[in-house]
């Protein structure tokens, strides 16, 4: 049986390759996994290698599992006995056999991220370092980076000796390594680094694996970091010259530079393995020619690439829709409206649609809009916005300030950030509260009467004093300014800023987005007190829970929301790429270099090539960022797409688009809302399926204004209108405030009155 009969010409050429190194440049949707699995099956079927003489390395357990399943369908063999796995799992196998050569016992344990943090915290404490200045997660990230470069603690200390803080981190690294050794433990980075060290320092062991593995295959080679690259090279380069290394990857999809991936590994493969054969897979089986033309047009602006041009036999498909909106609220509204239209008119399942964004923080406005439209959704690679820990923590502070009887919120934030108020102290306060029939916060006023240490008493009293001051501020500050004060005064902001990792920066972005949500609420509604804002959030959360209960009955049909990084390897019929503005996508700062821009462009290339049939690109002219309005220009990447790829027949004004959607929505739900006008429907905040109006909906504010009018803004005080643009509900004003500078607001949302 010819296992390769279903492959195209280039795929077959790669799978049939006999001996010697080979680099397969596999563009998006060109069938790289198909080539890898068929090559392994072909090597076994033709007798070129026994199953145990093949080493195949992937990046994720999911990819390894899929590869095993596919090979199992092609050949009759116990696939579990083959060396097919992730870099980490392959290295564990090698270390279990010979790690004693490095001074470890073979029954070593593997510490996960939580174990690492605990051990690093112990090191910080043992070295008498300030836990507020030395964040365990940030130090863990630095240690991981150094290990992937094979830099020892001593080398790190030497390189940073003149920097007091970094030298201390080096001391933590050194002590951490000693403690790992005492525990006979390895962390995840050790698994690869120690394997490389074992092979580099023990020629007999290296020779054993050179003889064992006749063929080595590596998936997603563009994502390898320094130590992974060294592992492939040391296993693949043999003294006898039989360097049968087969790597598959796409330099145009190298998007993990921020976590150590080095694009030069794939670009320089032919330098590392001389006489390597290069095969390019360019026939795409996923997307329409329009989408591929757009992707090709963008990525050709990069210099760090081998060069290829994706094409397809799939000629049908729609032109790309470019959607310009006034702000992120309008953007989210339009995305929901267009999704509803695709679902209703084109019979596209929600599960075949995805919304992509550059950062997780962008999901907030999109989630709120989807909930209002009753469109089921799920977040991939993260929690729904209002379920994220840092958001729930800040909300808990706000709820306790609003209602001092809220014991749940008290328990959540009493020691967040850490205030040396331990579980025993909290339990004592709780017991006193139950005896005296008061809330835990009220019980805290009697802390001196309880059996607690003086340190615990002082910590609780400081917490109470801080909360009392915030209660006073609540009544004299605008909503957004007050929430920002809570964020700073509680120490929460300082705690997040200490964690200078990708995860830590993401949490900061989420809080910034929460501040923007408060600012938006403040400008949009007349009734914008803390109580109103918390009720607004609770309403959104209730709708979310109702959607989840409904989804439990039909879990298969929901829209997917995810970052572009999380979308790699996935595909959808219809894709919305949102937030396409400069400084949002691409995220580029003044001190960034061309390499950063090229990685951002590769990220956009990945986003575009997730779409099979329909692609929407959206951007906003004004966006709330960190609680402030910023005028935005559209992303340079849009201008790099050939103009013939765009559909110019869509409605030209945002108002037209909104009205068209509302008319369609009202028509489709005639029995429920056919008596509502456009503005009535908008003001009532209608959810798909109907919403009982048990509570008064927030009232939108809109007055007739002219250039030169003096106005009073609830939060910013007196100002003068210097410019007006737009019409009706979409009218914007540029206002020069006496004490707040120049601001741009939507008149239909802003809480302003003419003087």
């Amino acid at each position: 049986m010819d296992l390769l009969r279903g492959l195209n010409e280039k795929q077959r050429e790669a799978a049939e390759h006999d001996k010697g190194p080979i680099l397969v440049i596999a563009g998006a949707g060109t069938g790289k996994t198909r080539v890898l699995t068929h090559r392994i099956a072909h090597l076994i079927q033709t007798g070129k290698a026994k199953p145990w003489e093949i080493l195949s390395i992937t990046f994720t357990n999911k990819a390894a599992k899929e590869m095993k399943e596919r090979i199992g369908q092609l050949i009759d063999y116990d696939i579990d006995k083959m060396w097919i796995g992730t870099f980490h799992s392959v290295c564990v196998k090698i270390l279990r056999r010979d790690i004693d050569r490095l001074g470890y016992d073979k029954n070593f344990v593997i510490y996960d991220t939580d174990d690492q943090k605990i051990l690093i915290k112990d090191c910080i404490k043992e070295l008498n370092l300030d836990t507020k200045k030395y964040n365990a997660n940030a130090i863990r990230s630095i240690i991981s980076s150094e290990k992937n470069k094979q830099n020892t603690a001593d080398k790190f200390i030497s390189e940073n000796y003149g920097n007091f803080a970094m030298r201390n981190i080096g001391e933590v690294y050194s002590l951490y390594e000693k403690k790992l050794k005492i525990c006979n433990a390895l962390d995840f980075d050790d698994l690869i680094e120690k394997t490389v060290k074992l092979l580099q320092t023990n020629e007999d062991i290296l020779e054993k694996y050179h003889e064992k593995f006749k063929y080595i295959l590596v998936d997603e080679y563009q994502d390898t970091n320094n130590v992974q690259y060294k592992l492939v090279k040391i296993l693949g380069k043999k003294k006898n010259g039989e360097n049968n290394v087969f790597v598959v990857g796409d330099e145009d999809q190298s998007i993990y530079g921020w976590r150590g991936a080095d694009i030069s590994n794939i670009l320089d493969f032919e330098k590392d393995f001389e006489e390597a054969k290069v095969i390019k897979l360019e026939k795409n089986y996923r997307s329409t020619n329009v989408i591929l033309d757009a992707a090709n047009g963008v990525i050709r602006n990069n210099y760090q690439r081998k060069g290829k041009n994706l094409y397809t036999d799939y000629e049908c498909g729609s032109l790309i829709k470019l959607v310009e909106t006034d702000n992120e609220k309008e953007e989210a509204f339009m995305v929901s409206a267009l999704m509803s239209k695709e679902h209703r008119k084109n019979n596209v399942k929600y599960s075949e649609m995805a919304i992509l964004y550059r950062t997780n923080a962008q999901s907030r406005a999109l989630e709120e809009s989807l909930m209002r439209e009753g469109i089921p959704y799920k977040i991939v690679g993260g929690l729904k916005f209002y379920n994220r820990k840092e958001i729930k923590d800040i909300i808990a502070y706000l709820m306790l300030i609003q209602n001092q009887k809220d014991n749940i919120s008290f328990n959540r934030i009493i020691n967040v950030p850490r205030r040396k108020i331990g579980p025993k102290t909290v339990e004592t306060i709780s017991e006193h509260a139950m005896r005296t029939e008061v809330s835990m916060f009220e019980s805290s006023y009697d802390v001196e009467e309880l059996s607690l240490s003086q340190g615990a008493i002082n910590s609780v009293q400081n917490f109470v004093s801080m909360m009392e001051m915030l209660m006073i501020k609540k009544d004299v500050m605008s909503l957004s300014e007050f929430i920002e004060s809570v964020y700073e005064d509680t120490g929460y902001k300082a705690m997040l800023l200490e964690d200078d990792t990708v995860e830590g920066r993401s949490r900061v972005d989420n809080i910034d987005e929460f501040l923007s949500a408060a600012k938006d609420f403040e400008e949009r509604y007349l009734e914008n007190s803390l109580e109103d804002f918390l009720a607004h959030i609770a309403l959104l959360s209730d709708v979310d829970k109702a959607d989840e209960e409904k989804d439990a009955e039909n879990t298969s049909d929901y829209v997917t929301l995810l970052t572009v990084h999380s979308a790699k390897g996935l595909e959808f019929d219809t894709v919305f790429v949102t937030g396409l503005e400069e400084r949002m996508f691409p995220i580029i700062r003044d001190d960034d270099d061309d390499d950063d821009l090229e990685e951002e462009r590769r990220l956009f290339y990945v986003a575009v090539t997730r779409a099979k049939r329909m692609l929407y690109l959206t951007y906003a002219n004004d966006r709330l960022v960190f609680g402030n309005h910023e005028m935005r220009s559209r992303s340079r990447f849009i201008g790099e797409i050939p103009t013939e790829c765009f559909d110019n027949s869509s409605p030209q004004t945002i108002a037209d688009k909104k009205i068209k959607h509302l008319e369609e929505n009202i028509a489709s739900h005639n029995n429920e809302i056919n008596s509502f006008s456009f503005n009535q429907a908008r003001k009532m905040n209608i959810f798909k399926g109907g919403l009982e109006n048990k509570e008064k909906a927030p009232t939108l504010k809109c007055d007739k204004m002219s250039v030169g009018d003096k106005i009073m803004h609830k939060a910013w005080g007196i100002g003068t209108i210097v410019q007006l643009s737009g019409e009706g509900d979409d009218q914007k004003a540029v206002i020069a405030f006496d004490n707040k500078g120049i601001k741009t607001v939507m008149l239909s949302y802003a809480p302003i009155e003419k003087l």
Side-chain angles (χ1 to χ4, degrees):
M1 181 179 69
D2 182 8
L3 293 176
L4 309 182
R5 67 182 183 278
L7 304 183
N8 66 37
E9 181 183 349
K10 287 295 182 181
Q11 289 174 335
R12 185 173 187 121
E13 183 183 356
E16 284 183 327
H17 179 70
D18 187 13
K19 293 188 182 232
I22 177 171
L23 168 63
V24 179
I25 299 295
T30 57
K32 69 175 179 62
T33 304
R34 183 177 176 83
V35 170
L36 268 172
T37 54
H38 278 72
R39 173 165 175 77
I40 292 172
H42 178 72
L43 289 172
I44 295 171
Q45 185 194 50
T46 57
K48 292 179 181 177
K50 304 296 185 195
W52 56 86
E53 294 176 329
I54 299 172
L55 171 63
S56 182
I57 306 176
T58 66
F59 269 83
T60 66
N61 289 314
K62 179 182 176 183
K65 181 182 177 183
E66 181 185 358
M67 190 175 293
K68 288 180 179 180
E69 290 174 349
R70 291 204 193 184
I71 296 171
Q73 294 169 1
L74 295 171
I75 60 172
D76 184 17
Y77 182 76
D78 186 356
I79 303 301
D80 289 331
K81 293 181 180 179
M82 294 182 64
W83 282 61
I84 300 175
T86 64
F87 275 97
H88 292 107
S89 65
V90 166
C91 288
V92 168
K93 281 187 178 184
I94 294 173
L95 292 173
R96 288 291 181 204
R97 289 162 168 77
D98 295 297
I99 197 174
D100 55 309
R101 296 282 190 95
L102 299 178
Y104 290 80
D105 293 337
K106 293 181 180 180
N107 63 342
F108 63 85
V109 295
I110 302 170
Y111 278 7
D112 63 15
T113 301
D114 290 335
D115 297 326
Q116 288 178 263
K117 289 179 183 177
I118 291 170
L119 196 58
I120 290 171
K121 286 176 182 177
D122 288 344
C123 295
I124 293 171
K125 184 176 181 181
E126 192 169 321
L127 292 169
N128 294 317
L129 298 176
D130 187 347
T131 55
K132 293 181 179 179
K133 293 181 180 178
Y134 295 92
N135 178 273
N137 196 44
I139 294 176
R140 184 192 66 81
S141 179
I142 291 172
I143 291 173
S144 174
S145 177
E146 293 306 305
K147 286 189 176 185
N148 286 327
K149 300 174 192 171
Q150 284 196 293
N151 280 352
T152 64
D154 288 343
K155 184 177 180 182
F156 182 81
I157 292 171
S158 176
E159 291 175 345
N160 295 277
Y161 200 80
N163 185 317
F164 180 73
M166 294 301 285
R167 189 169 78 237
N168 281 337
I169 290 174
E171 296 294 345
V172 173
Y173 181 10
S174 180
L175 183 57
Y176 169 75
E177 287 290 89
K178 291 174 184 175
K179 286 181 177 290
L180 277 178
K181 188 72 179 292
I182 291 170
C183 296
N184 195 41
L186 303 179
D187 60 30
F188 280 109
D189 297 307
D190 284 330
L191 295 177
I192 307 176
E193 193 274 328
K194 299 296 184 192
T195 302
V196 171
K197 185 177 180 181
L198 177 69
L199 297 174
Q200 286 174 332
T201 56
N202 294 273
E203 192 170 335
D204 60 321
I205 296 175
L206 176 59
E207 186 62 31
K208 177 175 68 174
Y209 286 105
H210 278 173
E211 292 178 4
K212 177 176 178 60
F213 299 128
K214 289 185 178 179
Y215 291 88
I216 296 175
L217 300 93
V218 185
D219 191 15
E220 302 285 9
Y221 193 64
Q222 78 281 349
D223 292 333
T224 52
N225 61 26
N226 178 66
V227 72
Q228 290 162 341
Y229 157 78
K230 285 183 177 179
L231 179 66
V232 174
K233 189 173 180 180
I234 197 171
L235 284 174
K237 293 205 79 167
K238 302 178 182 180
K239 290 181 180 179
N240 62 11
E242 293 184 3
N243 305 328
N244 299 322
V245 180
F246 181 102
V247 301
V248 181
D250 181 6
E251 80 282 9
D252 290 335
Q253 295 187 73
S254 179
I255 58 174
Y256 297 114
W258 50 274
R259 69 182 188 194
D262 188 348
I263 193 174
S264 67
N265 293 345
I266 190 169
L267 295 176
D268 295 340
F269 182 80
E270 296 145 278
K271 295 179 183 177
D272 295 324
F273 294 90
E274 296 176 2
E275 299 180 2
K277 184 173 185 178
V278 179
I279 296 176
K280 297 179 182 180
L281 304 183
E282 298 174 297
K283 185 173 182 179
N284 179 281
Y285 292 91
R286 176 189 299 158
S287 307
T288 65
N289 60 328
V290 171
I291 292 169
L292 296 182
D293 287 346
N296 289 329
V298 171
I299 203 62
R300 69 169 58 105
N301 290 281
N302 273 6
Y303 293 100
Q304 298 182 86
R305 61 191 304 257
K306 292 284 188 179
K308 61 182 175 300
N309 199 60
L310 298 181
Y311 69 94
T312 182
D313 292 337
Y314 182 29
E315 294 295 330
C316 57
S318 303
L319 293 171
I320 296 169
K321 299 277 189 181
L322 182 61
V323 182
E324 176 187 4
T325 61
D326 268 356
N327 51 53
E328 75 279 358
K329 284 285 185 183
E330 294 285 359
E331 179 184 48
F333 181 94
M334 284 304 303
V335 169
S336 298
L338 291 166
M339 279 194 158
S340 180
K341 179 181 176 182
E342 288 283 354
H343 182 65
R344 190 172 59 254
K345 288 193 172 183
N346 297 329
N347 297 315
V348 181
K349 292 182 178 180
Y350 286 131
S351 58
E352 281 294 312
M353 289 189 268
I355 303 174
L356 307 185
Y357 35 76
R358 181 62 181 82
T359 65
N360 274 310
Q362 291 169 249
S363 75
R364 193 264 310 171
L366 294 161
E367 288 184 63
E368 291 186 12
S369 183
L370 290 171
M371 282 188 275
R372 289 192 179 97
E373 290 298 312
I375 297 176
Y377 71 93
K378 72 168 183 175
I379 301 280
V380 171
L383 293 169
K384 294 184 176 181
F385 185 81
Y386 288 106
N387 286 342
R388 294 168 191 167
K389 180 185 182 303
E390 57 275 11
I391 302 301
K392 295 186 78 169
D393 285 347
I394 296 298
I395 290 174
Y397 273 109
L398 300 178
M399 292 178 71
L400 185 59
I401 290 167
Q402 182 65 30
N403 171 25
Q404 290 82 58
K405 297 184 184 296
D406 184 356
N407 287 341
I408 293 176
S409 293
F410 179 90
N411 274 312
R412 184 178 183 94
I413 52 86
I414 180 64
N415 199 40
V416 180
R418 293 188 183 279
R419 302 186 176 89
K420 298 181 179 178
I421 302 175
K424 190 170 182 61
T425 299
V426 176
E427 184 180 353
T428 301
I429 293 172
S430 178
E431 290 171 351
H432 180 68
M434 286 188 285
R435 284 196 306 271
T436 56
E437 298 184 347
V438 297
S439 72
M440 293 180 71
F441 185 82
E442 292 166 324
S443 174
S444 298
Y445 284 101
D446 302 330
V447 69
E448 288 185 321
E449 303 171 14
L450 307 180
S451 301
L452 295 172
S453 68
Q454 189 58 47
I457 291 172
N458 292 340
S459 295
V460 173
Q461 288 178 332
N462 289 338
F463 171 75
V464 171
S465 297
M466 176 191 72
M467 295 298 285
E468 285 180 329
M469 180 57 67
L470 287 171
M471 291 172 198
I472 294 171
K473 287 185 175 183
K474 174 179 75 75
D475 296 325
V476 297
M477 299 176 78
S478 70
L479 175 68
S480 58
E481 290 173 332
F482 168 67
I483 295 177
E484 187 166 4
S485 181
V486 170
Y487 180 33
E488 293 180 357
D489 294 354
T490 58
Y492 206 94
K493 181 176 183 178
M495 179 187 73
L496 292 187
L497 291 176
E498 287 167 13
D499 185 2
D500 190 25
T501 63
V502 174
E503 296 86 354
R505 291 192 290 273
S506 177
R507 294 186 186 101
V508 172
D509 288 345
N510 288 336
I511 296 294
D512 288 336
E513 180 60 25
F514 184 70
L515 293 173
S516 292
K519 175 75 75 174
D520 176 75
F521 183 84
E522 179 183 280
E523 293 180 354
R524 189 174 185 183
Y525 300 112
L526 277 173
E527 298 171 350
N528 55 25
S529 66
L530 176 61
E531 182 181 10
D532 296 323
F533 182 59
L534 290 173
H536 172 72
I537 293 172
L539 181 59
L540 290 173
S541 299
D542 285 342
V543 171
D544 204 18
K545 291 173 185 174
D547 284 345
E548 287 174 359
E549 291 173 3
K550 190 193 326 181
D551 290 346
E553 302 172 6
N554 180 19
T555 58
S556 62
D557 199 22
Y558 43 70
V559 170
T560 302
L561 274 70
L562 67 174
T563 64
V564 184
H565 280 105
S566 299
K568 188 169 176 286
L570 303 179
E571 59 183 45
F572 303 90
D573 174 89
T574 302
V575 170
F576 293 78
V577 185
T578 61
L580 282 169
E581 303 125 35
E582 290 292 299
R583 291 178 291 128
M584 180 69 77
F585 197 175
I587 295 181
I588 294 293
R589 298 175 293 273
D590 292 338
D591 58 346
D592 286 336
D593 56 27
D594 291 340
D595 288 352
D596 296 311
L597 176 59
E598 291 213 353
E599 180 152 327
E600 289 289 310
R601 187 175 282 111
R602 292 193 293 270
L603 198 57
F604 182 65
Y605 172 84
V606 168
V608 168
T609 54
R610 297 314 92 194
K612 295 194 286 188
R613 178 190 62 88
M614 188 70 235
L615 178 64
Y616 290 90
L617 306 177
T618 73
Y619 66 96
N621 293 319
D622 178 279
R623 188 174 291 272
L624 265 176
V625 181
F626 309 150
N628 295 310
H629 286 282
E630 287 188 4
M631 300 301 290
R632 292 298 181 101
S633 57
R634 73 182 191 181
S635 171
R636 69 191 73 187
F637 299 151
I638 293 174
E640 293 174 356
I641 295 174
T643 55
E644 60 268 21
C645 293
F646 289 109
D647 178 3
N648 297 316
S649 64
S650 54
Q652 293 302 304
T653 68
I654 294 168
D656 286 342
K657 297 172 186 174
K658 290 199 300 183
I659 292 170
K660 183 178 180 181
H661 165 65
L662 258 295
E663 288 173 347
E664 290 173 348
N665 197 44
I666 291 172
S668 65
H669 300 286
N670 187 48
N671 293 332
E672 297 170 311
I673 58 173
N674 58 5
S675 62
F676 286 79
S677 68
F678 170 77
N679 283 325
Q680 285 175 320
R682 187 180 179 190
K683 289 179 182 179
M684 287 300 292
N685 223 353
I686 292 174
F687 291 83
K688 187 177 180 181
L691 172 68
E692 293 183 13
N693 192 22
K694 294 180 180 178
E695 297 186 20
K696 183 181 177 183
T699 305
L700 293 168
K701 172 74 175 177
C702 184
D703 293 320
K704 292 182 178 179
M705 300 287 178
S706 303
V707 173
D709 284 347
K710 287 281 188 181
I711 58 91
M712 171 64 75
H713 189 285
K714 186 172 182 180
W716 298 332
I718 296 174
T720 304
I721 296 177
V722 296
Q723 183 178 330
L724 290 170
S725 61
E727 298 179 354
D729 289 325
D730 298 299
Q731 190 172 34
K732 288 192 297 188
V734 177
I735 303 175
F737 287 95
D738 293 349
N739 297 313
K740 291 291 183 178
I742 295 176
K743 305 282 187 181
T744 302
V745 301
M746 294 285 290
L747 285 180
S748 58
Y749 296 167
I752 62 177
E753 294 181 2
K754 190 189 304 184
L755 296 178

